[in-house]
């Protein structure tokens, strides 16, 4: 019989100090940087909401209602080249220089549009502004990747979305008031003043925390990728021009645009993107489908309310203000750590919400439907976009190696901007073909006397709702494949 076991005396160990609470994005180590880069997003957000409100009046005064969609898509067209250049530049030298150059070009484009005497000069200003915006947005993604721990990235992306809340409320009101009392030009000429804040706050913090190439050695510029970027921008521009011209001769620039665009897209986006291959390709594809369908539809909302329901530019822009709040709410929801296991399901739900909102928007073309119903519907769609856009950004950074963040961030933004260009071109062509160019024929866009062309708006919104439903399917593809399944 074995001897009884003696009770084990636990060894004395040093007391474990309490775990300090994790530092957030506004903690001492990140506060200045966070405030700086959020101020950059705030500038972009204020511009987007203010310019969108003034755009119907600007297009009317410049006799350019027929080019209305082009004024939006020109921004996205040139931003394609800016995004690829910024990705290469940031991977090679760090994000500081592309960010500085982008902010300067952004301001210069606003001044050019604000002083334009014709619609084509106005569009050129939007193109310069888009090039600057493309440089800025990719550089910011590189900053987030380098300066913030992975656990903080959902929070900073949520903060980016939250920075749209105040502009979405104040922007339309301020822009509409300035447009009605001083003129639309002052909306464009006044915004560049805001550039001073990001330059003063963001750039020194970025220089301290995220400047310089990865590993201390610059990466050579990929000249092939730069050529493809030029091809994708030129091709997108030609397609947009052909879509607005609507003549048989327009088939020539359309064919040339497609010849430039298709190989460039295949060379710049991850392999398998258009087959919705699981992983990074599906993330990139979903970003384009979501942003393209939503922005293409939203671009026509103020014009529809002004010309078909007789709202002032202020009220038309303000009808979208609630969307900024719900977009930030959706982004905040996806940023919560407990939501991470359900991220893919949240994105499916988000795309369904976007589809419902877009499909419901043209209901206000019926006189008996209150205008405020569109504001509610758009708030639902913006909630869905907050869930989707924030999540695609988080997944992109998670799936990217440090030395590939610039290039992959560029791919994500290219998908975003390219979908905007293509779907705006398609929507603009359908809008013009059904008489949309005549909606500004009345003496004043705010007078409510413009001809009614409800079908021109319906053919924009309903197809975009179908595209959003495709996005729900792509989001479902983000679920990890079963272990036995081969991609």
């Amino acid at each position: 019989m074995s001897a009884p076991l003696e009770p084990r005396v636990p060894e004395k160990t040093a007391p474990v100090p309490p775990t300090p609470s994790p530092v957030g994005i506004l903690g001492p180590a990140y506060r200045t940087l966070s405030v700086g880069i959020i101020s950059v997003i705030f500038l972009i957000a204020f511009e987007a909401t203010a310019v969108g409100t003034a755009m119907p009046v600007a297009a009317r005064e410049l006799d350019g209602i027929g080019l209305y969609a082009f004024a939006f898509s020109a921004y996205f067209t040139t931003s394609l080249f800016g995004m690829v250049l910024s990705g290469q530049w940031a991977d090679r030298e760090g994000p500081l220089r592309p960010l500085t150059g982008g902010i300067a070009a952004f301001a210069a484009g606003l001044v050019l549009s604000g002083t334009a005497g014709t619609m084509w000069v106005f569009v050129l200003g939007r193109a310069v502004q888009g090039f600057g915006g493309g440089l800025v947005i990719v550089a910011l993604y590189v900053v987030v990747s380098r300066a913030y721990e992975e656990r903080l990235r959902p929070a900073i992306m949520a903060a980016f979305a939250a920075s749209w809340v105040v502009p979405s409320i104040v922007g339309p009101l301020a822009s509409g008031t300035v447009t009605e009392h001083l003129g639309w030009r002052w909306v464009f000429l006044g915004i560049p003043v805001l550039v001073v804040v990001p330059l003063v706050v963001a750039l020194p913090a970025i220089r301290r925390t995220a400047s310089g190439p990865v590993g201390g050695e610059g990466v050579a510029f990929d000249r092939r990728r730069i050529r493809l970027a030029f091809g994708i921008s030129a091709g997108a521009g030609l397609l947009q021009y052909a879509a607005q011209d609507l003549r048989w001769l327009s088939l020539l620039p359309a064919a040339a645009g497609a010849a430039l665009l298709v190989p460039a897209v295949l060379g710049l986006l991850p392999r398998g993107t258009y087959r919705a291959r699981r992983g990074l390709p599906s993330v990139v594809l979903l970003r384009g489908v979501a942003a393209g369908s939503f922005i293409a539809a939203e671009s026509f909302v103020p014009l529809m309310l002004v010309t078909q329901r007789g709202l002032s530019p202020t009220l038309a822009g303000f009808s979208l203000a609630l969307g900024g709040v719900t977009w930030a709410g959706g982004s905040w929801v996806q940023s919560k750590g407990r939501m991470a296991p359900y991220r893919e399901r949240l994105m499916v739900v988000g795309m369904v919400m976007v589809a419902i909102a877009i499909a419901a928007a043209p209901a206000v073309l019926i006189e008996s439907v209150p205008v405020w119903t569109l504001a509610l519907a758009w708030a639902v769609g913006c909630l869905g976009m907050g869930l989707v856009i924030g999540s695609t950004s988080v997944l992109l950074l998670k799936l990217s190696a440090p030395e590939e963040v610039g290039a992959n961030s560029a791919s994500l933004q290219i998908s975003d901007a390219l979908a905007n260009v293509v779907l705006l071109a398609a929507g603009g062509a359908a809008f013009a073909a059904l008489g949309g160019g005549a909606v500004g024929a009345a003496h004043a866009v705010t007078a409510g006397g413009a001809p009614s062309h409800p079908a021109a708006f319906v053919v924009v919104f309903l197809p975009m709702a179908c595209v959003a439903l495709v996005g729900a399917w792509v989001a479902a593809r983000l679920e990890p494949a079963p272990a036995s399944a081969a991609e």
Side-chain angles (χ1 to χ4, degrees):
M1 184 174 179
S2 60
L5 295 176
E6 296 183 0
R8 182 180 177 85
V9 178
E11 298 179 1
K12 293 184 178 181
T13 58
V16 179
T19 303
S21 59
V23 176
I25 60 172
L26 292 179
Y30 297 102
R31 185 179 299 123
T32 303
L33 177 62
S34 296
V35 171
I37 62 176
I38 289 171
S39 69
V40 175
I41 297 296
F42 183 91
L43 167 66
I44 295 173
F46 193 86
E47 179 275 336
T49 55
V51 167
T53 302
M55 192 74 78
V57 179
R60 166 59 196 233
E61 185 175 311
L62 296 173
D63 194 24
I65 290 290
L67 298 174
Y68 184 78
F70 208 10
F72 284 97
S73 63
Y75 180 101
F76 299 114
T77 299
T78 53
S79 70
L80 291 166
F81 183 78
M83 290 167 186
V84 177
L85 179 61
S86 183
Q88 294 276 306
W89 199 354
D91 283 341
R92 177 182 173 85
E93 299 181 13
L96 188 62
R97 289 185 178 179
L99 183 61
T100 306
I103 292 176
F106 190 81
L110 283 167
V111 172
L112 183 58
S113 290
T115 57
T118 66
M119 190 63 177
W120 281 111
V121 176
F122 181 88
V123 170
L124 176 61
R126 293 285 291 164
V128 174
Q129 190 183 341
F131 175 72
L135 289 174
V136 168
I137 193 65
V138 172
L140 286 179
Y141 270 66
V142 177
V143 171
V144 170
S145 173
R146 295 189 182 187
Y148 293 87
E149 303 171 37
E150 184 175 341
R151 66 178 180 83
L152 294 177
R153 292 172 188 168
I156 192 64
M157 293 300 174
F160 283 178
S163 66
W164 281 75
V165 174
V166 172
S168 67
I169 297 173
V170 177
L173 182 61
S175 175
T177 302
V178 170
T179 298
E180 292 176 21
H181 295 283
L182 298 178
W184 63 268
R185 295 181 185 278
W186 288 104
V187 175
F188 289 83
L189 296 176
I191 293 176
V193 177
L194 300 176
V195 169
V196 176
V197 175
L199 285 175
V200 171
V201 178
L203 299 186
I206 292 172
R207 183 180 292 110
R208 291 194 304 270
T209 60
S211 62
V214 175
E217 296 183 1
V219 179
F221 274 105
D222 187 339
R223 295 185 179 181
R224 174 180 173 273
R225 195 170 177 85
I226 297 297
R227 288 196 299 269
L228 291 175
F230 180 79
I232 201 173
S233 295
L238 288 170
L239 280 180
Q240 179 65 31
Y241 175 80
Q244 294 297 304
D245 198 27
L246 294 182
R247 294 183 299 169
W248 285 109
L249 288 176
S250 299
L251 292 175
L252 294 178
L260 289 170
L261 193 63
V262 172
V265 169
L266 294 177
L268 289 172
L269 299 186
R271 184 175 299 176
T273 295
Y274 288 102
R275 291 186 288 108
R277 198 173 76 183
R278 297 183 188 277
L280 184 63
S282 286
V283 173
V284 171
L285 177 60
L286 178 61
R287 179 59 166 263
V289 171
S293 60
F294 188 80
I295 297 300
E298 186 178 60
S299 299
F300 286 87
V301 168
L303 186 66
M304 179 173 65
L305 294 177
V306 168
T307 61
Q308 305 302 297
R309 294 301 297 265
L311 269 66
S312 69
T314 303
L315 290 177
F318 202 65
S319 66
L320 304 178
L322 182 60
V325 178
T326 58
W327 189 312
S331 189
W332 177 81
V333 169
Q334 67 81 31
S335 73
K336 301 291 100 179
R338 61 180 177 275
M339 291 296 178
Y342 311 104
R343 188 175 299 280
E344 290 80 8
R345 297 180 189 176
L346 284 176
M347 296 168 82
V348 173
V349 172
M351 288 310 304
V352 172
M353 295 169 71
V354 171
I356 292 173
I358 295 174
V364 298
L365 293 168
I366 303 170
E367 288 291 333
S368 60
V369 176
V371 173
W372 55 262
T373 59
L374 186 145
L376 292 181
W378 219 247
V380 171
C382 287
L383 176 62
M385 287 294 287
L387 294 172
V388 174
I389 298 300
S391 292
T392 56
S393 300
V394 171
L395 290 176
L396 182 281
L397 296 178
K398 181 179 180 180
L399 296 171
S400 300
E403 67 276 9
E404 297 175 345
V405 169
N408 288 345
S409 297
S411 294
L412 188 75
Q413 298 301 327
I414 286 170
S415 178
D416 186 318
L418 181 62
N420 285 327
V421 171
V422 171
L423 293 178
L424 272 169
F431 179 75
L434 290 183
V439 299
H443 177 67
V445 78
T446 58
S452 178
H453 291 273
F457 290 97
V458 171
V459 296
V460 173
F461 287 99
L462 295 188
M464 297 308 157
C466 294
V467 174
L469 285 177
V470 173
W473 172 79
V474 176
R477 290 274 301 160
L478 296 177
E479 290 281 0
S484 59
E487 280 291 336

